Amino acid sequence: MIRALIWKEYREHRAIWLTLAVVGGAGLFGLSQLMAPDGFLGSTGARESLQSVAVLFAWTYGLVCGSMLLASEHEAGTMTFLDILPVRRRELWLVKSLFGLVLLLTQVAVLAGFVVGLDIVETTPEILLTLLAMSIFGLIALSWSLLFSAIGDNVLNVIGLSFLGQIAGGFLALILIVPVIFVMGMLGSWRLIDSEHARLCLICIGVFGLIVIPILGSARLYTRLDRRRARSLRWMSRKPVDMNGWISWGRLLWLSYMQMRRLLVVLILSSLILGFLLLVLGPAAWPALTLLLGILCGVTVWSDEQMSASFRFLGDQRFPLGRVWIVKVGMRFALAVFAAFLLLLPNLVVAATHQFQAQEGRALIERPPFFADLFHSSLVGPVVPVWTHLSMWLLYGFTAGHLCGLLFRKSLVAAVVALGSSGMLLTLWIPSLVGIGLHFWQVAGVPLAWLVAGWLLMPAWTADRLLARGTFLRLGAVVLAAALWTVGGLWYRVAEIPDVLDAFDIPAFAAAIPPMDQTKNPAGTAMHAAWHEVELMTHELIFKNERPRKPLFPRSESFRKEMSEVCVNGWPDRPSDLGERLDFWFEKDWYKHLHKVPDLPLGVVENARLQTLHMRQGRWELLGYLSEILAVRGLQMQARGDPRVFADHLRLSLALSRNVQNHAPPQRVIAGRQAELICFKALDPWLDNLPGNPVLLEQVRDILIQHEAQLPDELDALRTANLIAKNTLEQNPEGIVELEVSSRRGRPHLAPELHKAEMDLASLSWRIPWEYERHQRILRVVFEMNSSKRVQTIKWGGFVLDSLDQMARKTLDRRRATADLSAAKLKVELRLYQANNGRLPDKLLELVKARFPLGVPVDPFDGRPFRYEKSRWDADRKCNTAVLWSVGEDQQDDGGQVSGNDKAQTSAGEDLIYRVPLPRR
């Protein structure tokens, strides 16, 4: 029997095999002559093209051979004869498949002979690779044509379906591989995926699936007659069973599949098409599309039973309603989830590619976070919880559609009611979705209630008693439960934040800030008047007919570096361009308005009552630059014999620093302290070059004492940060959202109008009463002194307020600034003691005995007196000097041996060391 089948297949296939072999050989010969008339294929591109043609011929034969193996029996009408023979289809399929494999391999061998004979390949690796490619593509074509040949009855139709099936199979392989790549990438393994071995493994897995799965499917389909015969024999030997036993899970699954198979095809195709459109539709497309998708799948759960009135049959025949409900609802929901995945798939591939390029450094632009790039929204991730946004629209649409599909006979009416009810409830949650900190359980309660309602209404629906009183009671209970859950969830949005009192009495603090008025804020207005001139001189402004014809106050790195060296080492002996610039700059009275600032009460340079987080602040960061210029000018004039200029400029710089820090946000306080540090740094070279002169030293000491006495309150920065955050929350909450989004590596490259629409939505949502009260509570807790409450609230959604609070609290720690100021005062006091007594004191207590007004200041880090050593040689024992030191942030006295001044925080073994400048001989 087997030999007869093999002979039959040989007679049917020999003509086709020979024809395609001749066509393949002639085609390769003709193309090789066309590309190389002289018979020499010198071009690599020409050889690769001919190798691809050989692979195409092998693939074509595999397609034709597999289609003929099974479909030709139906086309010729011989399948019935084969089924009558005493042989099972499994043996038939095995013989035919093996014979087709032999035919394919021999065809590949013949084509390989032509490839080698025509010198299309030169080396042994090229021969092996070409042979492997022909075999793989031929096997793929053979397996897919066998699959469709098992169910086809026309060879040409099977060839066309096999071609389309291979395209679909490749796309499906991509769908299955992308999640693996995505998961590995999220775990930080992008480099592993990009390796050559990983790519080879993925290719091998894909090729294996494209070959094996169609072959198994072909065997399964072709041998279904054998299984039917076996089931018939078992069925005849079984005893009758009742209806409940007959309705098995498998039959219910099959029934549900048959009812939704058309919807399955429509949703798959439409989801793939809309998925590509979703790349350009914007962030609002995902909620709208998934809501409609969920409604469509939910409404059609019972549409067949409603149209044919077969739901009565379910009740009359005592079907297990719970089992029916689970299977039908579960399969439709699975279809909805799968369609939503296909809808998101193109975006997933694009976003994963962007992240991969960013990880490898191959991206031309900085990429936004993954989920923001995935949903084309700057809010998803930083503001909107990802998984809630991903699922809530589908859940509400599906459960509302499922319930309305039970209540209404007409699908259109059910869809409209479901859209209205789900859309209304989702609208209530949109402000909370954009308001940060929304929990999934808060939005999941209503879909769960609708799902339970569908379960409870099943008996009344199958009995056609939906208008009975019990139905209305159940529906009323469900509606009440959904309403209570929604109200409770919105109430919890506010209640989960502790309600604390305003720690700083912000209204009173805001009322105490003076306005920008000449009479009430003379120091602030004077600084504003002078600052305009300063800002102009930092640009490339050239005065005509005057020298030097260069930008005033250049902000280049080399120029700043030169000024910094002067502040550390003093004015150089060599001539420099810096001296000419300073002489030219100070010929102009550009800082005439600043001379009166030290004698005025503290003012404000920016009114915090009018500020929000998103507003552009003044350029007060130039304060450090201006302090450096004033200090360098003072050192220059000291080198020319006038040390008093430095004292005057020191008094002016410290006054500017105090005013900038007064009622200022943390950034301005930090800028003011940096200006202080520049002054204290330049004090050392000034003291080095100042012999004696106790009168001038007393003047500088009084300037430092006055500066310390007039410094603003330490809590000013925290109060001002609180006030600015409160203003932003009340006037422009999208400023907080914008800052948070920009802090997450930028936002997606959306159209400006689309990004503005998102920010407007955030602004509107934060003004909803419950969201406004929630964020007011967050603001109060963030700036409240209880650290445990603050940390928990920041986790709930403290947001940019967290960074603002941290910066403000950083400014509260004035210990380093206090240590620098105390060290500066001590340096001047020690030099004054030396000028009066001809030597430095052996101990700091001698300053107290000499009735100096400063005495011995305490170390702000441990509360003990400052440490002092009169004589200490440097490492090369070339210089003997006195040193002061503070224990620093580690609060451990390490003898002042290792300096930690250049660090933000001292480590173990380090102290804050200050050299006492001595007059140079």
Side-chain angles (χ1 to χ4, degrees):
M1 179 68 68
I2 300 300
R3 288 196 298 270
L5 284 174
I6 294 175
W7 176 252
K8 172 182 172 297
E9 295 298 331
Y10 165 71
R11 291 181 58 190
E12 290 179 353
H13 283 265
R14 61 186 177 185
I16 297 297
W17 185 94
L18 184 60
T19 301
L20 289 180
V22 172
V23 170
L28 290 174
F29 177 77
L31 289 174
S32 64
Q33 294 299 315
L34 184 63
M35 293 181 179
D38 55 354
F40 177 70
L41 290 169
S43 172
T44 303
R47 290 198 304 271
E48 291 178 352
S49 299
L50 290 175
Q51 293 168 13
S52 302
V53 171
V55 173
L56 179 61
F57 280 130
W59 174 82
T60 303
Y61 181 75
L63 195 65
V64 174
C65 179
S67 301
M68 291 178 59
L69 285 173
L70 303 178
S72 61
E73 304 292 349
H74 291 282
E75 189 174 11
T78 57
M79 194 67 239
T80 304
F81 173 74
L82 292 177
D83 288 335
I84 296 174
L85 295 176
V87 62
R88 290 180 297 178
R89 280 200 174 188
R90 183 176 61 184
E91 285 79 5
L92 288 175
W93 182 88
L94 187 60
V95 170
K96 285 176 171 288
S97 300
L98 291 176
F99 188 76
L101 178 62
V102 171
L103 292 176
L104 173 65
L105 294 179
T106 54
Q107 184 78 204
V108 168
V110 171
L111 291 173
F114 281 111
V115 168
V116 174
L118 295 172
D119 292 331
I120 296 175
V121 290
E122 293 182 338
T123 62
T124 302
E126 283 187 356
I127 296 173
L128 295 177
L129 286 176
T130 304
L131 186 62
L132 179 63
M134 287 191 294
S135 302
I136 289 176
F137 279 91
L139 285 173
I140 292 175
L142 180 66
S143 62
W144 282 92
S145 57
L146 275 174
L147 173 64
F148 288 97
S149 182
I151 57 176
D153 54 5
N154 184 278
V155 175
L156 292 179
N157 291 340
V158 169
I159 291 175
L161 291 174
S162 302
F163 176 73
L164 296 177
Q166 291 175 70
I167 297 176
F171 186 72
L172 183 61
L174 178 63
I175 293 176
L176 297 176
I177 291 175
V178 164
V180 177
I181 298 176
F182 167 68
V183 171
M184 295 182 67
M186 293 299 291
L187 295 176
S189 304
W190 293 110
R191 295 184 180 275
L192 176 63
I193 295 175
D194 195 39
S195 65
E196 183 177 353
H197 295 293
R199 290 198 300 268
L200 183 60
C201 289
L202 290 176
I203 291 173
C204 292
I205 292 172
V207 170
F208 181 80
L210 289 176
I211 294 175
V212 173
I213 294 176
I215 289 177
L216 296 178
S218 173
R220 180 74 178 174
L221 292 172
Y222 191 73
T223 59
R224 62 186 181 273
L225 181 61
D226 295 340
R227 293 189 296 276
R228 289 176 185 172
R229 291 171 177 172
R231 282 199 299 268
S232 299
L233 292 175
R234 289 196 301 269
W235 181 261
M236 293 172 62
S237 63
R238 290 178 59 183
K239 296 180 179 180
V241 295
D242 60 359
M243 184 60 69
N244 289 334
W246 185 81
I247 299 297
S248 64
W249 290 97
R251 289 181 173 83
L252 282 174
L253 291 171
W254 178 254
L255 172 65
S256 182
Y257 165 72
M258 293 299 292
Q259 289 178 340
M260 73 177 196
R261 64 184 187 277
R262 294 185 179 86
L263 180 64
L264 174 65
V265 176
V266 172
L267 284 183
I268 289 177
L269 295 178
S270 58
S271 296
L272 289 174
I273 295 172
L274 290 175
F276 289 100
L277 295 179
L278 193 62
L279 291 169
V280 294
L281 287 179
W286 174 256
L289 291 177
T290 50
L291 176 63
L292 294 176
L293 177 63
I295 291 174
L296 178 61
C297 291
V299 167
T300 56
V301 172
W302 309 111
S303 60
D304 290 321
E305 286 78 6
Q306 293 281 35
M307 291 175 58
S308 61
S310 59
F311 59 88
R312 298 189 186 93
F313 178 73
L314 298 177
D316 294 340
Q317 298 299 321
R318 308 290 183 180
F319 277 78
L321 298 182
R323 190 182 303 178
V324 174
W325 183 87
I326 290 173
V327 170
K328 289 182 68 66
V329 172
M331 287 196 66
R332 294 297 172 119
F333 183 70
L335 174 60
V337 172
F338 181 66
F341 171 73
L342 293 181
L343 189 66
L344 197 61
L345 181 63
N347 289 268
L348 185 65
V349 173
V350 172
T353 304
H354 289 167
Q355 295 300 312
F356 172 71
Q357 293 175 347
Q359 290 281 345
E360 295 299 318
R362 299 202 296 263
L364 299 179
I365 56 177
E366 186 179 8
R367 301 307 312 178
F370 175 78
F371 288 109
D373 200 9
L374 177 64
F375 291 101
H376 301 278
S377 171
S378 53
L379 299 180
V380 178
V383 180
V384 176
V386 175
W387 300 110
T388 303
H389 174 67
L390 189 68
S391 59
M392 64 181 292
W393 318 99
L394 186 67
L395 286 176
Y396 270 75
F398 180 81
T399 53
H402 154 256
L403 181 59
C404 293
L406 276 175
L407 297 176
F408 300 96
R409 295 284 180 87
K410 294 184 178 181
S411 299
L412 181 59
V413 176
V416 171
V417 175
L419 180 61
S421 57
S422 59
M424 180 179 62
L425 288 177
L426 284 170
T427 303
L428 291 176
W429 285 112
I430 288 176
S432 300
L433 188 69
V434 183
I436 312 169
L438 180 64
H439 304 289
F440 178 75
W441 65 263
Q442 291 174 292
V443 300
V446 174
L448 181 62
W450 285 344
L451 207 60
V452 171
W455 175 287
L456 295 176
L457 291 177
M458 279 291 291
W461 175 64
T462 55
D464 200 10
R465 295 178 57 85
L466 286 178
L467 297 179
R469 186 178 64 175
T471 302
F472 287 102
L473 290 177
R474 293 187 185 96
L475 281 178
V478 168
V479 171
L480 180 62
L484 290 177
W485 190 284
T486 302
V487 173
L490 295 177
W491 169 82
Y492 186 76
R493 286 281 297 165
V494 179
E496 70 172 332
I497 309 298
D499 190 12
V500 300
L501 297 176
D502 191 345
F504 301 118
D505 193 7
I506 296 302
F509 172 74
I513 298 176
M516 299 304 296
D517 183 78
Q518 176 64 36
T519 58
K520 298 181 180 179
N521 186 20
T525 54
M527 289 182 65
H528 270 280
W531 209 258
H532 178 68
E533 301 290 336
V534 175
E535 284 192 321
L536 288 178
M537 292 185 178
T538 60
H539 294 77
E540 294 188 1
L541 179 66
I542 300 178
F543 288 98
K544 295 182 179 179
N545 302 322
E546 296 182 8
R547 289 189 324 104
R549 297 178 61 83
K550 297 179 180 179
L552 300 179
F553 294 172
R555 303 184 67 184
S556 63
E557 291 294 329
S558 59
F559 185 73
R560 294 297 300 271
K561 182 178 179 181
E562 186 177 1
M563 288 208 304
S564 298
E565 290 178 353
V566 172
C567 288
V568 174
N569 303 318
W571 189 259
D573 296 332
R574 55 179 175 78
S576 66
D577 179 61
L578 178 60
E580 296 181 5
R581 286 181 179 274
L582 290 173
D583 291 339
F584 175 70
W585 296 342
F586 283 89
E587 286 178 3
K588 310 292 179 182
D589 198 10
W590 51 270
Y591 63 119
K592 59 184 178 181
H593 298 284
L594 298 179
H595 290 299
K596 55 185 178 181
V597 172
D599 300 321
L600 296 174
L602 281 180
V604 295
V605 295
E606 292 176 332
N607 193 340
R609 288 180 298 180
L610 307 177
Q611 290 182 351
T612 58
L613 288 174
H614 76 288
M615 291 176 59
R616 182 181 180 272
Q617 308 294 334
R619 297 185 59 182
W620 299 103
E621 65 273 10
L622 293 177
L623 176 63
Y625 189 43
L626 177 60
S627 299
E628 205 168 30
I629 291 174
L630 292 173
V632 171
R633 177 63 173 178
L635 294 174
Q636 180 193 32
M637 296 307 294
Q638 181 189 29
R640 294 179 179 179
D642 189 3
R644 295 183 178 273
V645 174
F646 181 85
D648 294 338
H649 286 185
L650 177 66
R651 180 169 177 262
L652 177 58
S653 295
L654 293 179
L656 295 178
S657 171
R658 292 193 300 272
N659 282 275
V660 167
Q661 294 182 59
N662 187 39
H663 293 338
Q667 299 91 332
R668 300 294 168 261
V669 175
I670 293 174
R673 291 182 184 174
Q674 289 175 345
E676 284 180 343
L677 185 60
I678 291 173
C679 296
F680 300 152
K681 188 183 297 183
L683 183 64
D684 285 359
W686 182 76
L687 290 174
D688 282 335
N689 294 282
L690 183 70
N693 204 337
V695 176
L696 189 55
L697 288 172
E698 288 182 357
Q699 179 183 349
V700 171
R701 180 191 64 189
D702 294 339
I703 290 173
L704 295 175
I705 293 175
Q706 179 190 15
H707 174 67
E708 184 179 30
Q710 295 182 356
L711 279 173
D713 186 0
E714 293 180 353
L715 294 177
D716 254 12
L718 200 59
R719 295 191 184 100
T720 307
N722 194 340
L723 176 59
I724 293 175
K726 187 178 179 65
N727 292 341
T728 307
L729 192 59
E730 293 177 349
Q731 302 173 19
N732 201 328
E734 65 265 27
I736 299 179
V737 181
E738 184 71 52
L739 287 176
E740 175 65 12
V741 168
S742 62
S743 67
R744 302 290 187 94
R745 293 190 297 139
R747 57 181 174 86
H749 305 284
L750 305 176
E753 58 274 10
L754 187 57
H755 180 70
K756 183 179 183 301
E758 285 194 324
M759 295 301 106
D760 292 341
L761 174 63
S763 176
L764 179 63
S765 299
W766 283 35
R767 288 186 171 94
I768 301 299
W770 59 85
E771 292 299 319
Y772 176 79
E773 178 60 26
R774 171 187 169 86
H775 286 90
Q776 287 286 354
R777 288 190 177 193
I778 289 177
L779 182 62
R780 291 196 294 269
V781 175
V782 164
F783 289 96
E784 201 253 348
M785 303 305 292
N786 190 322
S787 60
S788 61
K789 290 182 180 178
R790 185 173 68 252
V791 170
Q792 189 177 12
T793 305
I794 288 171
K795 181 180 179 181
W796 284 332
F799 214 61
V800 170
L801 303 179
D802 177 20
S803 59
L804 189 63
D805 167 66
Q806 294 300 323
M807 184 175 291
R809 291 180 185 277
K810 182 180 179 181
T811 61
L812 285 179
D813 188 4
R814 276 194 55 89
R815 292 180 300 176
R816 178 68 73 97
T818 302
D820 293 339
L821 178 57
S822 298
K825 291 187 298 182
L826 271 176
K827 291 175 186 178
V828 177
E829 196 85 312
L830 289 169
R831 284 295 306 275
L832 186 58
Y833 184 96
Q834 183 195 41
N836 292 332
N837 298 278
R839 65 178 181 85
L840 288 176
D842 296 327
K843 297 182 179 180
L844 290 180
L845 289 177
E846 295 184 24
L847 298 177
V848 180
K849 296 177 181 179
R851 297 184 179 179
F852 277 65
L854 288 181
V856 183
V858 297
D859 187 342
F861 291 99
D862 65 352
R864 301 178 61 187
F866 247 79
R867 281 72 172 175
Y868 167 72
E869 186 175 335
K870 178 180 179 181
S871 177
R872 177 177 293 181
W873 292 92
D874 60 10
D876 299 329
R877 300 193 62 81
K878 295 180 180 179
C879 179
N880 185 16
T881 185
V883 294
L884 299 161
W885 73 89
S886 164
V887 297
E889 285 80 5
D890 64 342
Q891 299 184 2
Q892 297 292 328
D893 186 2
D894 300 298
Q897 300 298 321
V898 180
S899 173
N901 297 52
D902 296 331
K903 294 183 178 180
Q905 192 169 11
T906 56
S907 305
E910 298 175 342
D911 292 324
L912 297 177
I913 303 175
Y914 305 93
R915 179 182 65 87
V916 179
L918 299 178
R920 295 176 181 174
R921 298 175 182 175

